[in-house]
Amino acid sequence: MGVETKILEEVVIKFAGDSGDGMQLTGGQFTNTSALFGNDLGTFPDFPAEIRAPQGTLAGVSGYQLNFGSKEIFTPGDLCDVLIAMNSAALKVNLSNLKSDGIIIANISGFDVKNLKLAGYDKSPIDDGSLEGFNLIKMDVTKLTRDAIEDIPLGVKEKDRCKNMFVLGFLYWMFDRPMENTINFIQSKFSNNEDVREANLRVLKAGYHYGDTTETFTTRFHVEKAKMEPGTYRNIMGNQAVAIGLVAASQRSGLPLFLGSYPITPASDILHELAKYKNFGVRTFQAEDEIAAICSCIGASFGGSLAITTTSGPGMALKAEAMGLAVMLEIPLIICNIQRGGPSTGLPTKTEQSDLMQAIYGRNGECPMPVIAAKSPADCFDAVFEACKISVQHMTPVIFLSDGYIANGAEPWKFPLTSQLDEIKAEFAKPLENNEKFLPYQRDEKLSRPWAVPGTKGLEHRIGGLEKENITGNISYEAQNHEFMVKLREEKVNRISDYIPLQELDNGPEKGELLVVGWGGTYGAIKAAVKELLTEGYKVSHIHLRHLKPFPKNLGEILNNFEKVMIPEINNGQLVKIIRDKFMIPAIPYNKIQGIPIQKTELIVKIKELLQ
Amino acid sequence: MADILIPDALELKLSPKDFQTDQDVRWCPGCGDYSILKQVHTILPQLGLKKENIVFISGIGCSSRFPYYTNTFGMHSIHGRATAVASGLKATRPELSVWIVTGDGDAMSIGGNHFIHLLRRNFDVNILLFNNQIYGLTKGQYSPTSEENKITKSTPYGSVDHPFNPIALALGADATFVARSIDRDPAHLQQMLLRTWKHKGASFLEIYQNCNIYNDGAFEIFTEKATKKENDLFLVHGQPLVFGNLEDKGIRLDGFTPQVVSLTNGYSKDDLMIHDENDINKSMILSRLYEMKSEEYIFPKPFGVFFIRDRSTYEEVMNEQINTSVGKLGKGDLDKLLIGKENWIVE
C-alpha cells in the first residue's frame, strides 16, 4: 500500500496530556524543528497552575498548541487539525476545539478504566463510535515505548517518561520533518545520563519508524517553507525576548543591568533567563518580596544602573507605593508586568489584559507613568527596548506590559544586530567644583532632571517621596507648588509623545466605516481577522497601540477618520474606557474574559456584525 | 578607636560642620534624635571618606528625616523599605558607604521582612535603628518594641502585643554585627558608630532614643545618674561583666543561666562571664539578659557590641560570580546573544 503525501498550507496541532506527560517539551521541539525548516508559526502553551495536578484529571491537562504554515501565521490558530490525546482527560478538554474532520492521535493506555473514570467518561470514546467523523488513530504509546527500550536498565516510571518522544517521532514522520534538531537536543540535555539519553533517542526513532513501517497510515502531510521577508531568523518566546531586549538596552546605553524580582507566574522566566547572563555584567537579585524587588531597583537606579523589576498583576499591586516613589524621585526604572487572569491570585497560568487600568491609574495620588505594551513574542524585544530608552532618556519609571499568552508563545524573529539598534543616551550630571550649588530638579527641554549618582563630586543631595519644590528639590508643602508639581509631572510624561513615532495603520484603508483598535497580545487575532476580511472585500482597518501612555499624537485624528471604532480586549473593557474618556467617541468594546486568547473567527463574526 | 582612623581622613580636612545641611532641623525640641545627629556628624569626618561616597537612606518616621540634615547623598524613601533600597544600591555600587536610618516602627513593623533579609544576606551597610518604643510621627501609638500593657492612644486598655527584642531578632537573622547604644551617652554612641562603620558586613546598631513627647523617660533608668550604674552593663570584649554603683556586681554563668552576683560577698571577677563578641551563644544569652526574671535581683541592660563575625558580603559574592563568568565566557557579545543558537535564512 502506497503512502500519499498531501501538501497543506497551514496546520494546527494541539499536544495534550497530563501535566507530567511532557507536552510542553514535545510541542516546543516540534516548534523548533518547524521554525528551522522555515515555516512561519505561532504557539500557545496552556497549562494548569498546579505543578502536578492529580494524574488523569481534567484539571491536570496540559496543552501546547502550534500553528505552522507556508503562509503568514499570526496566531496559534483557532480550531485544531490534529489533536494528540495522551489520556482521556486530554481528549475531553480539547475535543470541542478540533475541526470536524480532524485527526485524533489517542494513546490507548490513557483510555483504561481508571483514566476514563477520572475524565468522567462512562464508555470509552475511542471504542464506542462517538468519534465518528474524526480521523481516529489509536496507538498504544505506553506499550510501544516500553517495548522499544525493554533492554535498557531503567525503571518503568523512567521508561514511561519517554513516551512523549514516541509521539514526537511519529509526528515527525507524519509531517515529513527531520529529527536532527531533536536528536541534538536529547544528546545535550541528557549528556550526563547515558541510559536516559539512549532511551529517549531510541523511542523518538521508534515513533518515526512506527509511522514508516506500520502500513495502516496511508497519508503524510507536507507544509512548505513560508514565504517570509528575506533575512536570518530564529525562534523566540516572549519572555526570552524581554530578557534579551533588556540586555540589549543595557549594552546600548552602557548602563549595567540590575534586575530585582520576586518569582511569579508568568514572569519568572525573565529572571531565569537574565540570571544566565552574568558575563554581560547582569546582576539579578531575587528579593524577599515584590516590594523589596522594586525598592532594590530604586536603589540600583539611584546608583546609576538600568534597573528592572519583573512581575505579574498581584505583584504589580504590591509595588504600587514604590512606583509612586520612583515617580517622585524621577529616576529611570522599568516595571515589566506579564499579565495574568485576576483579580487577586486569579488565574496564574492563564492570559488576560486586565492590568491596563492598574498600569495607568493604579497608584495613590496623581502619579503619571508611561505605559508600553508588546503585541507578540518577538515584539517583546522592541517594546521593552523602547521602554528602557524612554525611561533613561526622560528620567521616568516606565511600565512595560506583556501577558501570559505572548510571554510563553513563540514565533519566528528576524532579529536585529547590535549595529541596527538605537543608542540609548544616559546623561549623568557632571561633577561640580568650588561649592557650586547642585540643583537636583533643574530640568531640560524634555522636563527631565539630571541623573545625579552617588560618587560624583559636588552633587550631594537629598531626595525622597515628600512633595518638593521644583529646581531645588527642597521639601515643600506650599499649596501652589503642589498643584504646579502635579501638573509638571503630568506634562513631563505627556511630552514624551513628541519623541515617539506617530501611530501607523497596520492594515486597511485610512478612512472608512470601521477601525479595530488593539493593544498587546490580541495583535495576531486582529491582524488575521482584518486581513481575511479585507481579501473578502470588507472595509475594515486595524491599528495596534504600543504606546498607551502617552498616546501617539495623531491617534485622535486617526480615530476620527472612522465611523465606528471597535476595541477587542481580553478584559471587561479597559482601553475602551480610556479611549472614550480621552477622545469622547462611542468606541465599541469586544471582550473575552476566559483566560484564553481571542480567536480570529469570533472577531470576524463580530466585525461583520458591525459592518452590517 | 584610633585604629580605624585612616591617614586620608586628615587630608580631606572635613569637619562636622561640612556634614550639616541648610535645612531646618524639624524634630521636637528635646528629642533624642538631635544627639544622634550630632554624634554622626562628629564621626563622619573621621572616616576618611569623601562626602560624595556616603549615602544615607531612610524609610518613614521621625528618625527617617535624618538624610535631609546630613550633607551627603541621601534618600528619604518609603515606609519600611530603606533596607530594600539600600540593598539594591549596595549590590550595584559596592564602593559606596551606605547607611540606613530607621526607627522601631519602620524597621521592626512595616519593614520587618526586609530587615531580616538584609541581615542574612549580609550587605556591607550600617543600620542605625532609633528605638524610642513608640510611634512618634503618627502621634503616639504603641510600637513593636513597646512593652506589654502599654497605654497609648491606640491601646487605652493597655497593649496586648508582646514586643520584639531587636538585638535578639538581629542575632536570630544571622547579623554579623550587633550592638546597642543610647542617645544620652555621646562618647559611647560615637564609639559604637565607629565600630558599626568599621565592620564589613551588615552592621546593626540599636540606639535607645528618648521621645520626650510621647514616651518620655522610657530609658531614664539607663541615663539618670541615680540609677544608671545599677542598670547599665557595658560590654567590653575579653573583660568580665561588671556593673553596679561601686562596680561591685557581676554576671556569672551557672551552666547556660546567667545570674547576678556580688563581688563583695564571695565572688571575684575571675568567676564572672567574660564577654566574647565572637561567641554567638554568649551573645544570645546577653541579648535576653534584661528580660530574665529573678526574685533576688534585677538584671542590667547590656550596651556595647554583642556580637561580631566575618562572613562574605552579598555584593562581594555577586561581583565574584560576574567576574568568574566574564573570565570563563569572555565579556558578553550582544550580537552572539541576538543571533542565538539556531537560525535559518529566508532568501
Side-chain angles (χ1 to χ4, degrees):
Chain A
M1 196 161 59
V3 176
E4 172 202 9
T5 298
K6 271 193 192 164
I7 307 285
L8 299 175
E9 240 195 340
E10 182 183 5
V11 177
V12 180
I13 304 183
K14 175 90 175 223
F15 301 84
D18 212 59
S19 300
D21 279 343
M23 289 298 98
Q24 303 303 324
L25 187 140
T26 314
Q29 280 300 307
F30 198 95
T31 300
N32 279 345
T33 296
S34 299
L36 289 174
F37 174 78
N39 295 128
D40 197 1
L41 55 86
T43 70
F44 178 50
D46 176 23
F47 41 83
E50 295 78 15
I51 304 301
R52 293 277 187 277
Q55 256 191 346
T57 60
L58 299 175
V61 174
S62 168
Y64 185 101
Q65 188 163 315
L66 163 68
N67 183 8
F68 64 107
S70 56
K71 60 176 207 176
E72 267 188 297
I73 300 290
F74 302 108
T75 74
D78 292 357
L79 296 177
C80 305
D81 298 287
V82 182
L83 169 64
I84 320 298
M86 295 300 281
N87 64 13
S88 317
L91 180 78
K92 189 155 203 181
V93 169
N94 291 291
L95 193 60
S96 61
N97 233 21
L98 186 64
K99 283 184 185 163
S100 55
D101 60 347
I103 298 171
I104 300 169
I105 299 175
N107 172 25
I108 293 174
S109 51
F111 288 82
D112 58 11
V113 181
K114 190 179 159 203
N115 271 293
L116 287 168
K117 201 175 151 203
L118 284 167
Y121 280 117
D122 295 331
K123 287 181 289 179
S124 175
I126 59 171
D127 296 317
D128 67 0
S130 63
L131 298 177
E132 208 173 313
F134 296 110
N135 181 356
L136 176 66
I137 299 173
K138 295 195 274 188
M139 53 174 89
D140 196 340
V141 178
T142 309
K143 181 172 183 302
L144 289 162
T145 297
R146 287 182 192 168
D147 288 352
I149 49 176
E150 209 184 347
D151 57 322
I152 295 183
L154 289 173
V156 177
K157 246 187 169 173
E158 282 170 305
K159 284 185 178 176
D160 284 358
R161 235 177 258 148
C162 301
K163 63 182 190 281
N164 59 336
M165 285 298 130
F166 190 91
V167 175
L168 185 60
F170 179 74
L171 285 171
Y172 280 158
W173 174 80
M174 195 169 177
F175 287 95
D176 195 15
R177 293 277 120 117
M179 287 191 286
E180 273 72 29
N181 176 53
T182 297
I183 290 173
N184 293 339
F185 167 79
I186 293 171
Q187 271 165 347
S188 112
K189 184 171 168 80
F190 302 114
S191 60
N192 294 326
N193 193 332
E194 202 189 322
D195 288 337
V196 174
R197 182 175 68 236
E198 181 58 25
N200 275 286
L201 286 172
R202 221 194 279 174
V203 172
L204 177 76
K205 288 175 190 166
Y208 193 94
H209 295 143
Y210 182 74
D212 216 7
T213 54
T214 314
E215 296 193 341
T216 44
F217 307 111
T218 54
T219 317
R220 292 177 81 182
F221 303 96
H222 186 77
V223 180
E224 294 284 353
K225 289 182 184 189
K227 285 167 214 70
M228 291 155 73
E229 210 182 301
T232 311
Y233 286 78
R234 64 180 285 189
N235 188 33
I236 192 115
M237 287 169 72
N239 274 346
Q240 203 186 355
V242 171
I244 297 175
L246 292 171
V247 175
S250 158
Q251 295 280 307
R252 296 301 285 157
S253 61
L255 299 170
L257 188 67
F258 177 84
L259 176 80
S261 183
Y262 186 75
I264 185 168
T265 304
S268 305
D269 282 337
I270 303 171
L271 165 64
H272 304 161
E273 194 72 16
L274 283 173
K276 295 181 202 162
Y277 302 140
K278 295 227 170 352
N279 65 326
F280 284 88
V282 176
R283 287 174 173 80
T284 53
F285 176 63
Q286 184 176 314
E288 58 273 20
D289 61 27
E290 295 281 359
I291 299 171
I294 186 169
C295 286
S296 67
C297 287
I298 289 173
S301 175
F302 185 61
S305 284
L306 179 63
I308 321 292
T309 186
T310 48
T311 190
S312 189
M316 190 78 174
L318 285 167
K319 292 180 197 295
E321 188 195 10
M323 280 189 236
L325 175 64
V327 166
M328 281 300 243
L329 299 179
E330 303 189 36
I331 53 171
L333 170 63
I334 295 92
I335 301 110
C336 301
N337 178 355
I338 317 302
Q339 299 164 95
R340 65 191 217 185
S344 185
T345 311
L347 307 170
T349 60
K350 308 290 177 194
T351 195
E352 210 162 270
Q353 297 181 296
S354 47
D355 295 343
L356 179 62
M357 289 289 195
Q358 189 188 22
I360 293 183
Y361 303 114
R363 290 168 291 282
N364 67 302
E366 299 287 347
C367 194
M369 282 169 70
V371 180
I372 277 188
K375 65 180 182 185
S376 73
D379 188 55
C380 284
F381 177 89
D382 296 319
V384 86
F385 187 90
E386 195 176 351
C388 294
K389 190 175 168 190
I390 290 174
S391 183
V392 168
Q393 297 190 169
H394 293 263
M395 289 294 285
T396 174
V398 173
I399 292 173
F400 164 80
L401 294 175
S402 168
D403 63 52
Y405 167 61
I406 52 181
N408 290 315
E411 67 178 351
W413 178 37
K414 197 182 149 200
F415 54 87
L417 290 175
T418 310
S419 55
Q420 293 161 285
L421 295 171
D422 284 356
E423 194 191 331
I424 297 176
K425 290 188 198 97
E427 282 179 40
F428 291 105
K430 307 250 166 11
L432 292 179
E433 302 286 339
N434 310 325
N435 290 328
E436 221 178 313
K437 176 112 177 109
F438 175 61
L439 299 168
Y441 284 78
Q442 181 93 274
R443 297 167 192 279
D444 64 11
E445 73 287 354
K446 301 191 297 278
L447 297 181
S448 66
R449 72 176 198 88
W451 197 351
V453 301
T456 321
K457 190 172 181 204
L459 302 191
E460 297 85 16
H461 68 289
R462 276 67 54 193
I463 52 176
L466 287 170
E467 185 58 285
K468 45 192 56 52
E469 187 180 70
N470 197 30
I471 303 174
T472 63
N474 291 338
I475 300 172
S476 167
Y477 301 139
E478 208 264 311
Q480 297 299 324
N481 177 72
H482 178 54
E483 185 163 320
F484 172 78
M485 289 302 285
V486 164
K487 300 214 160 168
L488 181 70
R489 285 186 289 262
E490 181 72 33
E491 170 58 17
K492 174 183 158 184
V493 170
N494 287 338
R495 208 169 273 193
I496 293 168
S497 63
D498 290 342
Y499 298 84
I500 59 173
L502 291 177
Q503 182 64 43
E504 283 180 18
L505 211 57
D506 193 86
N507 216 341
E510 275 176 29
K511 282 178 187 228
E513 208 178 325
L514 178 65
L515 175 71
V516 184
V517 179
W519 70 277
T522 51
Y523 177 74
I526 302 174
K527 172 91 184 171
V530 170
K531 195 169 180 237
E532 195 168 313
L533 286 163
L534 284 168
T535 56
E536 287 175 26
Y538 288 92
K539 294 219 161 45
V540 55
S541 302
H542 173 203
I543 60 169
H544 214 77
L545 298 175
R546 169 182 287 180
H547 299 276
L548 295 156
K549 183 167 180 90
F551 285 130
K553 280 164 100 172
N554 61 334
L555 181 60
E557 201 182 311
I558 295 178
L559 295 173
N560 287 325
N561 281 335
F562 293 86
E563 287 166 36
K564 289 179 186 168
V565 170
M566 168 193 171
I567 304 184
E569 293 178 88
I570 309 177
N571 58 36
N572 204 21
Q574 300 198 3
L575 178 65
V576 74
K577 292 193 184 82
I578 298 167
I579 294 275
R580 282 173 181 166
D581 169 44
K582 174 124 185 154
F583 299 103
M584 305 286 274
I585 57 163
I588 303 155
Y590 179 78
N591 306 111
K592 181 170 184 175
I593 326 162
Q594 302 168 10
I596 48 174
I598 291 178
Q599 294 187 340
K600 174 185 80 174
T601 37
E602 60 188 300
L603 278 179
I604 288 177
V605 171
K606 178 72 183 173
I607 292 171
K608 282 183 177 170
E609 210 178 285
L610 289 175
L611 285 172
Q612 264 170 16
Chain B
M1 300 308 298
D3 58 325
I4 63 166
L5 290 175
I6 56 173
D8 284 357
L10 301 172
E11 279 167 37
L12 283 166
K13 288 187 188 141
L14 290 171
S15 73
K17 226 174 157 230
D18 291 307
F19 288 94
Q20 292 168 8
T21 67
D22 57 1
Q23 303 293 301
D24 296 332
V25 182
R26 294 194 192 176
W27 288 313
C28 308
C31 175
D33 289 353
Y34 284 96
S35 164
I36 305 174
L37 181 68
K38 183 157 193 277
Q39 308 327 320
V40 172
H41 285 178
T42 304
I43 62 108
L44 284 176
Q46 300 172 29
L47 306 183
L49 297 170
K50 292 178 179 166
K51 280 194 294 183
E52 64 265 28
N53 290 328
I54 303 172
V55 186
F56 276 85
I57 299 178
S58 64
I60 296 293
C62 294
S63 62
S64 291
R65 294 299 178 95
F66 197 96
Y68 291 117
Y69 310 140
T70 303
N71 191 14
T72 61
F73 277 86
M75 190 197 293
H76 179 213
S77 76
I78 44 177
H79 205 7
R81 321 299 174 200
T83 31
V85 173
S87 299
L89 179 62
K90 193 66 190 179
T92 50
R93 297 290 305 276
E95 77 281 12
L96 297 172
S97 177
V98 177
W99 298 69
I100 295 159
V101 178
T102 181
D104 40 316
D106 196 56
M108 301 282 111
S109 194
I110 192 168
N113 195 29
H114 315 308
F115 174 75
I116 53 176
H117 288 282
L118 179 135
L119 293 180
R120 78 175 165 88
R121 290 191 181 109
N122 201 34
F123 282 102
D124 180 18
V125 296
N126 312 303
I127 308 171
L128 310 183
L129 172 83
F130 297 11
N131 184 4
N132 56 16
Q133 301 184 344
I134 196 79
Y135 278 36
L137 198 63
T138 52
K139 301 190 172 35
Q141 301 83 9
Y142 76 104
S143 94
T145 55
S146 299
E147 63 275 17
E148 281 176 21
N149 299 319
K150 191 173 188 69
I151 307 278
T152 70
K153 273 189 189 161
S154 58
T155 52
Y157 297 103
S159 161
V160 178
D161 285 28
H162 178 75
F164 262 139
N165 173 331
I167 298 288
L169 181 67
L171 289 170
D174 271 352
T176 58
F177 178 94
V178 179
R180 180 191 284 141
S181 190
I182 191 159
D183 53 2
R184 299 223 177 135
D185 189 342
H188 187 261
L189 181 51
Q190 285 179 28
Q191 194 191 9
M192 286 303 113
L193 286 166
L194 286 166
R195 288 205 64 189
T196 297
W197 172 75
K198 189 188 174 195
H199 173 66
K200 192 165 160 238
S203 311
F204 173 63
L205 177 62
E206 179 189 26
I207 306 168
Y208 283 160
Q209 171 247 324
N210 189 45
C211 173
N212 56 324
I213 305 294
Y214 295 109
N215 201 19
D216 196 24
F219 309 107
E220 216 168 48
I221 57 163
F222 309 121
T223 54
E224 292 306 305
K225 232 180 182 166
T227 49
K228 69 178 188 183
K229 285 203 161 169
E230 284 294 304
N231 288 289
D232 296 358
L233 172 68
F234 286 94
L235 305 172
V236 181
H237 183 59
Q239 296 297 315
L241 300 176
V242 177
F243 70 107
N245 280 330
L246 304 165
E247 301 212 337
D248 54 348
K249 290 177 184 165
I251 305 293
R252 178 182 171 271
L253 273 184
D254 179 15
F256 292 111
T257 311
Q259 51 186 210
V260 174
V261 295
S262 166
L263 295 178
T264 54
N265 188 11
Y267 288 103
S268 79
K269 285 187 180 178
D270 296 340
D271 300 311
L272 299 182
M273 176 175 169
I274 306 292
H275 183 47
D276 183 353
E277 293 170 349
N278 308 120
D279 187 326
I280 185 68
N281 297 317
K282 282 185 170 175
S283 304
M284 292 252 191
I285 290 170
L286 289 175
S287 75
R288 297 284 183 193
L289 190 70
Y290 187 71
E291 298 158 17
M292 302 282 299
K293 295 273 182 281
S294 161
E295 285 179 5
E296 299 159 59
Y297 39 75
I298 294 167
F299 283 98
K301 182 82 93 171
F303 293 90
V305 176
F306 285 74
F307 182 64
I308 184 164
R309 165 183 290 170
D310 274 335
R311 178 150 66 80
S312 309
T313 66
Y314 187 99
E315 64 273 20
E316 263 174 356
V317 179
M318 186 182 223
N319 283 298
E320 223 171 79
Q321 278 193 351
I322 288 177
N323 292 337
T324 310
S325 183
V326 171
K328 237 192 208 163
L329 305 167
K331 234 175 161 210
D333 178 340
L334 181 57
D335 272 335
K336 264 195 194 160
L337 181 66
L338 290 165
I339 292 164
K341 283 183 187 149
E342 292 166 328
N343 308 111
W344 68 97
I345 294 168
V346 174
E347 282 163 5

